[in-house]
Amino acid sequence: MRRILLLPVLLFAACRSGAGTSGSGAGMVSVEWGGAFLGKFSGPATARWCARDSLLEVLAERNDTAVGFALASQDTLQVGDYPVYQARLGIRGRPQASAALRLMTGTELKAFESVSGRVTVTEGGSRRASARFDVQLRPPAGGDSLRLTGSFTGLDLTPAVGLCGRANR
């Protein structure tokens, strides 16, 4: 369920385009995509840690481009591999990850969600996060896929405020 919710978060961020991402740390996201569309993006990112559900949400946005990740861990954010599954499958096992990308293609705003891949957390724990990723993305209604590669580094984990995690908890 939480992976299906990541895409609307990115689409909501479109309403705030131009606002940028404000974060207290110097954490950065750097991504490249290829396939149906080519591009790259880098910028500051925020990382919200939902302790109640052991879930990390990473979001970076600038103008009409945004990238987001959800990493579900066992307890704290563990260093290691987080397999990426198709967002609509609702796999219950942990660890796992999902990703989404929103970008402007000419005059059309396009959204993509993860279908497979891997996020490798290289720095974890309760204070900071860094990771590398290689993820296949596809539009929610199907169509041309993208390969998203890159990293996020030095993200300060900020406790999630208010509701967070799975909706059924």
Side-chain angles (χ1 to χ4, degrees):
M1 178 89 177
R2 73 188 153 278
R3 286 185 293 219
I4 294 170
L5 295 177
L6 184 59
L7 189 57
V9 167
L10 287 177
L11 294 175
F12 171 74
C15 296
R16 304 178 334 156
S17 67
T21 300
S22 62
S24 59
M28 296 291 290
V29 163
S30 179
V31 300
E32 292 186 12
W33 55 89
F37 304 97
L38 300 174
K40 60 185 175 179
F41 168 82
S42 64
T46 59
R48 286 183 358 132
W49 175 251
C50 179
R52 162 183 156 190
D53 197 16
S54 301
L55 180 70
L56 176 66
E57 297 172 344
V58 175
L59 180 63
E61 64 174 306
R62 184 173 53 243
N63 300 325
D64 291 324
T65 303
V67 62
F69 297 88
L71 282 73
S73 189
Q74 298 285 349
D75 43 32
T76 60
L77 183 66
Q78 303 287 323
V79 170
D81 288 336
Y82 288 63
V84 173
Y85 299 104
Q86 188 173 0
R88 291 191 170 91
L89 292 180
I91 304 294
R92 293 187 183 264
R94 289 176 178 234
Q96 64 175 284
S98 61
L101 174 69
R102 181 195 71 218
L103 59 105
M104 184 66 97
T105 60
T107 59
E108 189 176 4
L109 191 61
K110 291 234 182 219
F112 296 85
E113 61 187 20
S114 57
V115 292
S116 65
R118 183 159 313 281
V119 175
T120 302
V121 175
T122 57
E123 177 184 16
S126 61
R127 296 179 190 249
R128 289 176 67 86
S130 296
R132 296 181 317 271
F133 47 85
D134 187 344
V135 179
Q136 284 294 126
L137 304 165
R138 192 167 276 131
D144 294 331
S145 66
L146 297 178
R147 180 178 181 195
L148 182 72
T149 59
S151 64
F152 53 84
T153 56
L155 300 180
D156 291 333
L157 302 187
T158 303
V161 177
L163 297 175
C164 68
R166 292 176 282 189
N168 62 351
R169 272 195 131 184

